[in-house]
Amino acid sequence: MGVVEAEALHGTVLALAGSLQPHVATAFFVFSVCTVALAVLLAVVRLRPPWWCDCAVCEAYLTASWAGEFDNLCDWYAHLLRSSPAQTVHVHVLRNVLTANPVTVDHVLHARFDNYPKGAPFSAILADFLGRGIFNVDGDAWLFQRKLAAAELASPALRAFAARVVASELRCRLIPLLHSASREGSSGKVLDLQDVFRRFAFDSICKISFGLDPGCLELSMPVSTLMEAFDMASTLSARRATVPMQIIWRLKRFLKVGDEKKLRDAVRLVDALAAEVIRQRRKLGSAASGSDLLSRFMGSIDDDKYLRDIVVSFMLAGRDTIASALTAFFLLLSDHPEVATAIRDEVTRVTGDGNRTMAATFDKLKDMHYVHAALYESMRLFPPVQFDSKFAAGDDTLPDGTAVAKGTRVTYHAYAMGRMESVWGPDCAEFRPDRWLRDGRFVPESPYRYPVFQAGVRVCIGKELALMEMKAVIVAIVRSFDIEAIARSSRRPKFAPGLTATFAGGLPVRVRRRRARVSGHIPPAI
């Protein structure tokens, strides 16, 4: 080999080494971080901190041995809470006290409200997705948003706007879609009703929140980019809460790997789309003033990032919870056709004519006590938010005698509460809307027995709008269609991970058009 060739080879080696140097440094850094993390975990195991526990409950949680008997973690928790004399259990490895005791729920949400904020650990889990939105803050920030939102949501103008949006989505998209599916015949097209409701609710809440129509319910169109990113961010944020130690997901977040990388990308997309909508609205100025929440909030908030956090939080509440509740309702209705018959009888009795316009039907929703009772009963068994947690700001003792140390997570489990004989009697597992009626009129229970909409100071401010939307959908569908769930039963559901209750595999159904005189009627616009 000549001198020239040797020098060329030497130069190539040096160039290759130079190009590899950053990659080697990165690999060495990642290796070092992983080594330190492993050392920390081993130290935790060796030192056995005070919260470490090898009791039967903690062992079952850590090894997932509960899955041998129960399909869902929530069902195992319900079993534990039913077996506890105090309806309270402590999962020590999670530093989490769970309860299904109404007295304890009252204590946490009302009597000692100041001692049980959302807390920094909870806020950290959802911070990337919800930022400083109302569901992720405490103190003055929460109070400011609550007062602002309560005033807007109570506005007759906003309520009328929301009713117009829902009526339009029903008339122009949901009902025609179901009519089309029903024409396929008894062995024809199968719909995933959960997917349909998620699309419907997303279209509706985007219109109400942003004045934006993503057109998700057009099934011939691909799912909107915003909806995909929103779903991804919601699901992956929820997974953080299942990790025993925050250092695990925080390390993945720092390294930008796995679920945390996907979450970052999804949140960036939500941020970009929200920022563009807000920017366009700011650019139009007074000409953009409208009835949607964004337009109404812009008059009080100048910080666009803060505005994004607030509106995205309302989108999460308005989409996921409504879609979850409606999916569970029609699954139960498929198993209980007698309830559908009772609903149709009430709609006919209250409206006086099955062919009333949607506007007239909306006006009569408040008089449909059986519909209201059936919806409440469905959410008793399948609450859209199965549990909610607070973090103790100071040491406390619960009414049942359970000691709660500062920093402990305290969770009231609405899903388990709906299955407690001590709360609802021996028929607690049965779907029985009549339990909510007295002389034909709906009578609510204490929110501490039924914390589906939370209770006390944090009671849901969007409750009335949500009930209006869900009842309108129920009435519009039940009076015109029979919905048959395929290979699904409300008696043994399987849930997917998420911030709200979602059925794994969706809800496949066949839709059959009723042959009554009202079946061909598609209500006109309001």
Side-chain angles (χ1 to χ4, degrees):
M1 180 182 295
V3 175
V4 174
E5 289 85 353
E7 289 180 349
L9 180 60
H10 180 68
T12 301
V13 171
L14 289 176
L16 180 61
S19 65
L20 289 175
Q21 187 173 1
H23 299 287
V24 172
T26 300
F28 179 75
F29 175 74
V30 171
F31 176 76
S32 300
V33 170
C34 291
T35 301
V36 171
L38 180 60
V40 170
L41 290 174
L42 290 174
V44 167
V45 173
R46 185 170 60 254
L47 294 174
R48 298 176 67 84
W51 47 264
W52 187 268
C53 179
D54 56 4
C55 71
V57 171
C58 293
E59 181 181 355
Y61 178 84
L62 289 172
T63 62
S65 61
W66 56 266
E69 185 178 354
F70 301 93
D71 291 331
N72 306 289
L73 183 62
C74 59
D75 288 312
W76 179 56
Y77 281 151
H79 166 73
L80 294 177
L81 290 164
R82 280 194 300 268
S83 304
S84 167
Q87 295 98 52
T88 299
V89 296
H90 197 166
V91 185
H92 304 92
V93 293
L94 296 178
R95 294 197 70 192
N96 189 9
V97 173
L98 296 100
T99 187
N101 188 329
V103 177
T104 303
V105 176
D106 185 309
H107 179 84
V108 172
L109 297 183
H110 173 63
R112 293 298 313 278
F113 168 77
D114 291 339
N115 193 53
Y116 291 99
K118 283 284 185 182
F122 179 90
S123 297
I125 289 171
L126 296 178
D128 290 325
F129 183 32
L130 298 185
R132 296 174 291 160
I134 189 170
F135 304 114
N136 208 40
V137 292
D138 292 302
D140 291 340
W142 167 77
L143 189 59
F144 167 75
Q145 291 184 52
R146 184 174 178 84
K147 287 182 176 179
L148 179 66
E152 296 297 350
L153 292 174
S155 162
L158 181 69
R159 293 193 175 201
F161 172 67
R164 289 196 300 272
V165 167
V166 173
S168 175
E169 287 296 309
L170 284 170
R171 184 188 75 252
C172 299
R173 286 176 173 164
L174 182 58
I175 298 303
L177 185 153
L178 296 178
H179 272 290
S180 176
S182 70
R183 285 197 292 268
E184 299 288 342
S186 60
S187 60
K189 185 174 182 179
V190 173
L191 278 182
D192 179 356
L193 197 60
Q194 177 169 262
D195 180 59
V196 168
F197 284 144
R198 287 170 72 84
R199 290 169 179 256
F200 167 82
F202 195 72
D203 281 352
S204 298
I205 198 61
C206 281
K207 286 183 177 180
I208 294 169
S209 297
F210 276 125
L212 174 73
D213 182 8
C216 293
L217 204 52
E218 300 290 344
L219 295 189
S220 60
M221 301 290 288
V223 176
S224 78
T225 304
L226 177 59
M227 181 173 171
E228 281 188 326
F230 205 86
D231 283 343
M232 181 69 71
S234 174
T235 299
L236 296 181
S237 295
R239 285 185 189 171
R240 285 178 170 179
T242 65
V243 178
M245 290 183 291
Q246 284 198 11
I247 189 175
I248 296 175
W249 67 258
R250 286 183 181 275
L251 181 61
K252 288 184 178 180
R253 183 175 182 267
F254 177 76
L255 297 175
K256 301 175 184 177
V257 297
D259 285 352
E260 289 299 316
K261 182 181 184 302
K262 295 177 184 177
L263 175 59
R264 182 192 61 171
D265 293 343
V267 169
R268 281 182 174 177
L269 189 50
V270 172
D271 287 349
L273 291 169
E276 179 61 20
V277 172
I278 293 171
R279 188 185 70 80
Q280 291 289 346
R281 200 68 60 86
R282 294 278 191 206
K283 184 177 179 181
L284 291 172
S286 60
S289 59
S291 300
D292 58 89
L293 281 172
L294 176 60
S295 298
R296 301 175 78 89
F297 286 156
M298 285 177 73
S300 305
I301 300 171
D302 296 324
D303 182 339
D304 286 356
K305 178 61 171 68
Y306 194 27
L307 197 58
R308 172 266 182 212
D309 293 344
I310 293 173
V311 176
V312 167
S313 293
F314 278 99
M315 287 175 64
L316 176 68
R319 194 287 292 265
D320 288 10
T321 55
I322 285 174
S324 174
L326 286 173
T327 303
F329 182 89
F330 281 94
L331 175 60
L332 282 162
L333 213 61
S334 177
D335 289 338
H336 298 86
E338 73 281 1
V339 174
T341 299
I343 288 174
R344 293 184 191 109
D345 290 344
E346 180 177 67
V347 172
T348 300
R349 183 174 67 254
V350 170
T351 62
D353 180 356
N355 283 322
R356 295 286 290 261
T357 66
M358 183 62 75
T361 301
F362 267 60
D363 290 340
K364 293 290 187 178
L365 286 176
K366 62 182 180 299
D367 298 324
M368 297 181 187
H369 292 270
Y370 188 83
V371 173
H372 201 90
L375 179 56
Y376 261 61
E377 178 71 349
S378 172
M379 291 190 290
R380 179 184 70 83
L381 292 170
F382 295 106
V385 180
Q386 294 180 339
F387 61 87
D388 189 51
S389 298
K390 315 297 180 188
F391 284 82
D395 294 346
D396 190 25
T397 301
L398 300 180
D400 58 33
T402 302
V404 175
K406 178 181 178 180
T408 299
R409 178 181 175 188
V410 178
T411 300
Y412 65 89
H413 209 289
Y415 179 88
M417 292 181 76
R419 288 159 170 73
M420 300 288 287
E421 287 192 19
S422 59
V423 179
W424 295 101
D427 64 348
C428 61
E430 298 300 317
F431 178 56
R432 194 169 65 80
D434 288 342
R435 79 172 75 242
W436 295 90
L437 299 174
R438 303 290 184 276
D439 298 324
R441 300 186 66 82
F442 176 81
V443 178
E445 292 285 352
S446 163
Y448 304 108
R449 293 183 68 202
Y450 183 81
V452 171
F453 294 100
Q454 291 218 37
V457 182
R458 278 192 182 262
V459 69
C460 176
I461 53 179
K463 172 183 173 182
E464 296 305 321
L465 280 180
L467 288 171
M468 175 276 293
E469 181 174 351
M470 291 187 288
K471 288 163 67 176
V473 171
I474 289 167
V475 169
I477 294 178
V478 173
R479 70 178 179 178
S480 296
F481 303 98
D482 287 317
I483 305 294
E484 178 193 2
I486 301 171
R488 293 291 189 275
S489 172
S490 60
R491 294 173 181 85
R492 191 167 182 178
K494 176 69 175 175
F495 297 108
L499 294 175
T500 53
T502 303
F503 293 104
L507 179 59
V509 301
R510 283 197 177 90
V511 181
R512 294 186 177 86
R513 185 173 172 179
R514 292 183 55 74
R515 297 304 175 187
R517 181 169 60 92
V518 300
S519 64
H521 177 66
I522 300 177
I526 286 180

